[in-house]
Amino acid sequence: MPNIHKTAIVSKKAKIADDVQIAPYAVIGDNVTLGKGVKIGSHCVLDGYTSIGNDCQIFSLAVIGSQPQDLKFKGEKSFLQIGSGNIIREFCTFNPGTGEGSKTIIGNNNLFMAYSHVAHDCQVGNSNIFANNATLAGHVRVEDKVVIGGLAAIHQFVRVGMLSIIGGCSKVVKDIPPYSMCDGHPAMVYGLNLVGLRRSGINRDTIKELKSAYKIIFHSGLSLKHALEEMAQKIPALPEITYFVNFARNSERGLSRSCLKDNENDRAYCR
């Protein structure tokens, strides 16, 4: 039987696995599904058509599945789907989709630190880290193994490529390229996320080719179209290169610009 504190308010219609733990004063709505091993902290509110996978931990005062903060929302039936192994810390807020049948989807093994926000219709992949107050607007897509710094805000419809890292307090208004290290107002590309690449087991030869690819994209002075054409001629078609090329070609908001460090004058300049 689930371990449900006597002060928790849990709908009889909710679907709850046998070993779920629900702390005092939590509120679980009619259409919530909780998988095996889920732990719900005190004073949490889980509402809407929300499903939570196995072994997730949701800490005190998180609000998960409440209606989206979108004036277009008129009470449509929409969904929030959360995978397994996620850690959702205090005061996080996650919203379902806006349109009829739409979904906000969160993958597996993500860490959402306190006050993180995932808005309507977002897609978040696997093994990401959201530091405190990291905020996604609507329709944002975050791929895998991304680190988003504290107080960073991601504009609607932006994509964040895998293995990228975004500095704290950044304002992200364009797509963040995969494997990149970004920061600023607006966020600029400062180089490759070398630490993340190495930790993920990307070999030295591939990292070398990625460095060459980034120089062509950001420092050659070519348009994106011509830079991608030059990459096709000069850079081997490794899986990581092909993925990056496809990411860049499919960018609707455009890629974040590059920022270089002028060591002689101790300042940064962007282009």
Side-chain angles (χ1 to χ4, degrees):
M1 292 290 293
N3 182 4
I4 302 175
H5 193 272
K6 63 182 181 180
T7 61
I9 300 174
V10 180
S11 170
K12 294 181 179 180
K13 297 179 181 179
K15 298 178 181 179
I16 299 174
D18 291 339
D19 56 351
V20 167
Q21 298 179 36
I22 302 177
Y25 302 103
V27 178
I28 311 297
D30 291 348
N31 300 300
V32 173
T33 300
L34 304 179
K36 295 180 179 179
V38 169
K39 297 178 180 179
I40 307 297
S42 60
H43 297 276
C44 287
V45 177
L46 278 64
D47 201 5
Y49 291 89
T50 297
S51 63
I52 297 175
N54 299 336
D55 300 313
C56 288
Q57 299 179 59
I58 303 179
F59 286 70
S60 299
L61 296 157
V63 179
I64 308 298
S66 60
Q67 73 177 48
Q69 301 173 92
D70 186 345
L71 294 176
K72 297 190 301 296
F73 183 72
K74 303 300 180 185
E76 298 90 346
K77 183 177 179 180
S78 59
F79 302 87
L80 171 61
Q81 178 180 315
I82 299 175
S84 299
N86 293 290
I87 298 173
I88 302 170
R89 295 302 305 249
E90 296 84 355
F91 294 97
C92 286
T93 52
F94 296 176
N95 297 149
T98 295
E100 182 70 29
S102 62
K103 295 181 180 180
T104 298
I105 300 174
I106 295 171
N108 306 316
N109 303 314
N110 298 289
L111 168 59
F112 298 90
M113 297 186 194
Y115 293 93
S116 296
H117 176 65
V118 178
H120 61 89
D121 301 288
C122 286
Q123 295 184 41
V124 177
N126 306 310
S127 303
N128 298 296
I129 297 174
F130 287 57
N132 301 76
N133 285 101
T135 298
L136 304 185
H139 301 278
V140 169
R141 180 175 179 180
V142 177
E143 297 188 341
D144 299 334
K145 298 181 180 179
V146 170
V147 178
I148 301 178
L151 295 162
I154 317 296
H155 194 280
Q156 61 183 355
F157 294 102
V158 161
R159 296 183 305 151
V160 181
M162 70 179 296
L163 277 170
S164 59
I165 181 168
I166 299 171
C169 299
S170 291
K171 173 187 174 183
V172 180
V173 297
K174 291 187 177 182
D175 291 350
I176 299 297
Y179 317 121
S180 67
M181 183 170 56
C182 301
D183 190 39
H185 302 264
M188 303 289 183
V189 177
Y190 279 80
L192 286 177
N193 179 17
L194 294 175
V195 172
L197 288 166
R198 290 166 183 154
R199 286 177 177 173
S200 292
I202 306 297
N203 64 59
R204 290 184 178 181
D205 290 338
T206 299
I207 292 175
K208 181 180 178 181
E209 298 299 344
L210 283 170
K211 287 181 178 178
S212 298
Y214 268 64
K215 286 181 180 178
I216 294 172
I217 290 293
F218 294 110
H219 304 151
S220 66
L222 297 171
S223 67
L224 180 59
K225 177 182 177 181
H226 290 105
L228 292 173
E229 290 173 355
E230 183 165 328
M231 280 179 57
Q233 296 175 1
K234 295 184 176 180
I235 308 296
L238 301 170
E240 292 81 3
I241 299 295
T242 301
Y243 159 68
F244 172 72
V245 169
N246 289 334
F247 184 97
R249 283 177 174 162
N250 292 323
S251 177
E252 295 182 1
R253 292 195 59 85
L255 295 181
S256 294
R257 296 166 60 200
S258 174
C259 201
L260 299 175
K261 183 69 179 297
D262 183 349
N263 293 318
E264 183 176 346
N265 297 309
D266 192 29
R267 68 183 184 87
Y269 62 96
C270 301
R271 60 184 180 186

